[in-house]
Amino acid sequence: MRRSVNRLALLAAASSLIASPAAADTLREALSEAYRTNPTLQAARANQRATDEFVPLEKSAGRPNIGATATHVEFLKRSSNSFTAPERTLSVSADLGVPIYSGGAVKNGVRAAKVRVDAGQANLRATESAIFSQVVAAYMDVIRNQAIVGLTANQVNVLSVNLQATSDRFEIGDLTRTDIAQSQSRLALAESDLRTAQSNLIGAREFYIQLVGEAPDNLQPPPPLPALPATAAEAVDTALEYNPDLIAARENAKAADIDIKVTRANRLPTVSLFAGTDYNNFYGTLGGPSAVQFSQSETTGSAGVQISIPIFQGGRPAALERQAQAIASAALEQEIAAERDAIAQVRAAYASWQASSAIIESSQSAVAAAELSLEGTRAENTVGSRTILDILNAEQELLNARVQLVTARRNAYVAGFSLLAAMGRAEARDLGLGDETLLYDPQVNFDRVKGKWSDWDNDPAPVAVSTRTIDVPAPDAAIEQTEDSPNR
């Protein structure tokens, strides 16, 4: 009951991502755009549709098979001892085969295929949440790097003013060349940091374009994350039930176990019904000079039951079963590996989220203290109790504290979303990215194809859905200054 309540609370909180103020819509738009046009996600959906087809493929082995053959033969040289051989003939045959019993190969093959469809759908969910996690990280990277560019640009401006003031005081003999050199050194380092920050911002914007397909434009602060679990153990319990990678591994292990039963059918008899008809036409050439005495066309028909009993196949059935057993053993180990991975991801993401949240609080205190320290250092410098180097150090400490704060905010948000993804709670439905009718449901395609019989029921020619980014202009390191920019 407690787990159900927690699950409902988590889903209700997830809906708040959509009900946030308009300023928070940008992250939702980025996730929605990636959901519609990301090539990795689109390719995963296409691969899942290919996996769906294994079910009708396996079913086809148990369905009737009808074939027809037409053959025209010209006898260029006939036996000299045959006086009635025809000069040419047309043969037409039609055959019907109906498998009755195949040792369970068809039944178990269909079962294994259906289980692999379930595994593929879980893998598709994992791909979806992985893309969303990357989009969130890229979104937050752009915001963080914009803030760092603003902070370092502001630092360059401040140090430029400091250098000018130091030079003026040097001219009147109030300071020494050492003070000027220290100011010049800090300014040069700040300019280098600005170039690095600008390069990082361009890289973050490029990665955003790669994932979303559009350039980031005035990204708004992200909305609050859905309610996260109170303990790591609670998060692990949710992940063990809903983590898509773990679900896929479990389903693959089930399918591999069914494959063993498929291989055992190679030792069992098979039973099938058959029926056929043959038509021959000799074009009036049968019988030579006595052709009028012979019928120049004939039709025959047959039907029966065929039983095939394997006696000895050179050890092939046993080898196939041993191979399937080994593959099933590997699948069981992979299931445990997926479980370990899910637990490790959840615990690591939970610890990272908690640590980043704590760092935010300490960084806020550090920024406030550094601002007060810088103000006091400047005041004390005017009365001669502090040096220019003290001011430069105080300014650098304030910059470092502000950078640590924006980085901690980014890390906390990304870690929180990664925790949701590891728990299996970071997919389009969980985040409310659209109406149910607009979301991609892989079950729809499976239901469409699972019972098809026709040999001519094809889909339209493949067309790429993802958007290309070749026409998206290369991003630069320009940032939009606002009243609440971090460097103000």
Side-chain angles (χ1 to χ4, degrees):
M1 174 64 72
R2 179 184 176 187
R3 182 179 300 174
S4 299
V5 172
N6 290 336
R7 184 160 62 245
L8 291 174
L10 185 64
L11 292 175
S15 64
S16 68
L17 187 76
I18 308 309
S20 300
D25 287 347
T26 303
L27 177 57
R28 183 192 181 204
E29 291 171 359
L31 292 171
S32 297
E33 188 66 22
Y35 183 76
R36 293 193 304 269
T37 66
N38 183 273
T40 301
L41 187 52
Q42 291 294 339
R45 291 168 180 167
N47 285 331
Q48 179 58 28
R49 292 195 294 272
T51 301
D52 293 342
E53 298 296 342
F54 281 110
V55 172
L57 283 173
E58 293 293 338
K59 287 182 176 180
S60 67
R63 290 170 176 168
N65 189 290
I66 303 175
T69 304
T71 305
H72 173 82
V73 180
E74 290 282 344
F75 298 98
L76 302 179
K77 183 174 178 62
R78 292 176 292 172
S79 171
S80 58
N81 293 320
S82 176
F83 302 103
T84 61
E87 297 178 4
R88 62 189 61 86
T89 181
L90 171 67
S91 300
V92 179
S93 63
D95 299 288
L96 167 66
V98 182
I100 301 300
Y101 177 70
S102 59
V106 174
K107 178 185 69 175
N108 289 313
V110 173
R111 286 179 57 207
K114 288 181 177 179
V115 173
R116 286 193 168 91
V117 167
D118 294 336
Q121 291 181 356
N123 282 326
L124 182 58
R125 289 179 51 216
T127 301
E128 182 179 305
S129 62
I131 293 296
F132 286 164
S133 297
Q134 290 180 322
V135 170
V136 168
Y139 188 96
M140 297 304 297
D141 284 344
V142 172
I143 291 179
R144 177 196 60 185
N145 290 333
Q146 284 177 339
I148 293 176
V149 168
L151 289 169
T152 52
N154 183 69
Q155 184 76 346
V156 168
N157 294 335
V158 170
L159 292 177
S160 297
V161 173
N162 283 352
L163 178 58
Q164 183 61 47
T166 303
S167 299
D168 293 341
R169 294 177 65 183
F170 171 76
E171 293 296 333
I172 62 175
D174 192 22
L175 297 175
T176 67
R177 289 190 179 276
T178 301
D179 295 316
I180 294 178
Q182 290 171 341
S183 297
Q184 289 174 333
S185 174
R186 290 298 177 91
L187 176 58
L189 290 175
E191 290 173 341
S192 298
D193 291 340
L194 177 58
R195 297 295 179 269
T196 300
Q198 289 173 333
S199 175
N200 291 338
L201 175 56
I202 291 174
R205 285 175 169 171
E206 285 288 4
F207 188 53
Y208 180 97
I209 294 171
Q210 177 185 341
L211 292 171
V212 179
E214 296 179 352
D217 182 21
N218 189 26
L219 300 185
Q220 300 298 315
L225 284 171
L228 295 175
T231 64
E234 182 182 337
V236 168
D237 288 341
T238 303
L240 292 178
E241 186 173 357
Y242 296 106
N243 181 276
D245 291 316
L246 180 54
I247 293 174
R250 288 170 179 164
E251 296 301 317
N252 283 327
K254 293 178 184 178
D257 185 63
I258 298 173
D259 287 340
I260 298 175
K261 299 178 182 179
V262 175
T263 61
R264 289 172 180 165
N266 290 292
R267 300 189 182 95
L268 300 177
T270 60
V271 181
S272 61
L273 302 178
F274 67 87
T277 181
D278 296 283
Y279 169 78
N280 293 294
N281 191 316
F282 302 102
Y283 299 107
T285 63
L286 179 64
S290 306
V292 294
Q293 301 178 15
F294 295 90
S295 173
Q296 298 300 316
S297 64
E298 60 183 12
T299 301
T300 61
S302 61
V305 179
Q306 179 179 356
I307 301 177
S308 177
I309 304 175
I311 304 298
F312 178 69
Q313 303 175 59
R316 176 179 172 83
L320 288 173
E321 182 173 352
R322 292 193 301 270
Q323 183 185 59
Q325 289 171 331
I327 293 174
S329 296
L332 291 174
E333 300 298 338
Q334 289 165 356
E335 179 183 349
I336 296 176
E339 182 179 271
R340 288 185 179 186
D341 186 57
I343 294 172
Q345 284 185 29
V346 168
R347 290 174 177 171
Y350 187 86
S352 178
W353 169 62
Q354 280 199 321
S356 298
S357 300
I359 292 173
I360 290 175
E361 295 182 8
S362 60
S363 296
Q364 288 172 334
S365 299
V367 169
E371 289 174 343
L372 182 61
S373 174
L374 176 59
E375 182 181 352
T377 302
R378 285 173 174 168
E380 293 171 5
N381 175 256
T382 60
V383 297
S385 61
R386 292 283 185 172
T387 66
I388 292 297
L389 181 59
D390 292 329
I391 294 178
L392 295 174
N393 288 338
E395 288 172 344
Q396 186 63 43
E397 289 175 1
L398 176 57
L399 173 63
N400 292 342
R402 285 173 171 170
V403 169
Q404 182 173 343
L405 176 57
V406 297
T407 301
R409 286 172 175 166
R410 177 267 177 201
N411 292 343
Y413 200 91
V414 172
F417 195 91
S418 298
L419 177 58
L420 291 174
M423 292 166 56
R425 291 306 188 197
E427 299 157 35
R429 285 177 173 80
D430 301 317
L431 303 176
L433 292 185
D435 184 84
E436 287 291 327
T437 59
L438 300 178
L439 297 179
Y440 184 85
D441 184 0
Q443 188 66 32
V444 172
N445 182 75
F446 175 70
D447 292 338
R448 179 180 70 91
V449 303
K450 66 181 180 181
K452 287 187 176 293
W453 284 61
S454 174
D455 288 351
W456 302 96
D457 192 356
N458 299 325
D459 284 343
V463 177
V465 177
S466 305
T467 55
R468 298 183 180 274
T469 60
I470 190 171
D471 295 327
V472 178
D476 56 28
I479 61 172
E480 181 176 342
Q481 298 293 332
T482 61
E483 290 299 324
D484 56 349
S485 291
N487 59 317
R488 291 297 179 105

